[in-house]
Every structure is written in structure tokens, then in C-alpha cells.
Amino acid sequence: MNPVIGLCSIVAAVTLPFLAPVPQRQPDDAVSGVRARLVNEINAHRRASGLSALVLDPLAERAAQYQAQYMESSGVMRHDDSDGRSPMKRYDDLGGHASLYGENVAYYGDSFSETDAVWQAVQKLDSMMMSERPPSDGHRENILSPDYKAIGIGVAIGPNGIYIAEDFVTP
């Protein structure tokens, strides 16, 4: 092999990875803001239906965030995680104990860089869930269930889109 070509190949192999675009993740404060707005939106739906507001459950939030990040990184939307754990099993593994547990997951395929645009996409997903009608209204049923007392929201934003997990719990 020509030494100049070999040297160019080495230089290219070392420098090209640094020149490639790096996928942008939303800062934690942007995700926290979207999460807080979504909790407020869900509680507004509940109040409009004469239901009490859901309180935040830190373990449910950790379980939901884990699932949202898993879904975004793998580009799939589902309830079971990579270890095959159900939503309630993830909550249990974090030390939670629930008599009732439910989860809504949703996905929006475009990538975003601004919090307002992310919120518009999340709000659109929420609106779709609330417009469901029987017998295919499981997301809406979770949001408006009088049986749930607490909630945890997970939001992951990356190159695969926006993924949310809403984990509803009754301790």
C-alpha cells in the first residue's frame, strides 16, 4: 500500500467521527418543562370531568422516563422494556408498591430543537388520546380513571423523535 494513502486513511479514520453531526438531545430543563406542562394538561382533563388531580409519584416518573428513553433510543413504541419488564414490574423494581398501575405510550416522529415545538407535538399526542372513543379508548380511560391517584411522566427527545410514557399509579 502506498504510504501516503495509508496515512490519509488513518487521518480520515481518526478525524471523520468528529466531523459527523452529533444528534442533539433536549436539555433536562426543557424535558422537565414539557413534563410539567403535560401533568398540568392531564389534571385539567381530570378536573373538567369532575375528578381529583393526580399527584406526582417520583418512582413512577423514573419508571416512565426509563421507558421513554428506551423507546427513543431503540426507535420502538411499546410497553415492555428491553428486559421484557411490564410497566408495573419496572415500578416494582424501583422499590414501588402499587395496587393498580397503567401506562400510556406515544410517539411523534419529527425531531425538534425548540421547547415550544416539542410542547406542540406533545399536546397533539395528548389531544389524540383524549379524542379516543369506545371501544378503542384505553389512553383516555387511563387519563380519566378515578382509580388512579398519582402519575409519572417520561419524555425523551432525540433523533428517533419524541417519545412519552405516562405512568398512572395507585399505591
Side-chain angles (χ1 to χ4, degrees), residues 40-165:
N40 289 337
E41 189 81 7
I42 288 169
N43 280 329
H45 297 314
R46 292 176 64 83
R47 278 191 303 279
S49 295
L51 299 169
S52 61
L54 298 171
V55 298
L56 295 176
D57 182 308
L59 290 180
E61 184 174 296
R62 284 179 53 201
Q65 188 61 35
Y66 178 89
Q67 186 63 11
Q69 288 175 287
Y70 159 69
M71 292 187 302
E72 193 287 318
S73 67
S74 63
V76 299
M77 185 178 71
R78 62 188 218 188
H79 293 286
D80 291 345
D81 65 20
S82 60
D83 295 328
R85 295 181 303 174
S86 69
M88 190 172 203
K89 177 67 172 142
R90 278 191 301 278
Y91 185 73
D92 289 347
D93 286 352
L94 289 169
H97 303 287
S99 60
L100 186 63
Y101 204 90
E103 182 180 68
N104 289 346
V105 294
Y107 155 77
Y108 195 87
D110 293 334
S111 60
F112 294 93
S113 59
E114 294 185 27
T115 303
D116 286 339
V118 170
W119 172 245
Q120 290 170 356
V122 171
Q123 197 170 33
K124 189 179 291 187
L125 293 170
D126 178 67
S127 178
M128 290 168 54
M129 288 182 193
M130 287 305 295
S131 65
E132 294 175 345
R133 295 292 172 243
S136 300
D137 63 336
H139 298 104
R140 187 174 189 278
E141 284 181 351
N142 278 341
I143 293 168
L144 298 179
S145 174
D147 298 327
Y148 292 122
K149 306 301 179 205
I151 190 169
I153 302 285
V155 179
I157 305 156
N160 290 318
I162 301 168
Y163 288 79
I164 61 172

Side-chain angles (χ1 to χ4, degrees), residues 12-26:
V14 170
T15 59
L16 281 178
F18 295 104
L19 299 175
V22 176
Q24 297 298 312
R25 296 240 180 238
Q26 285 295 107

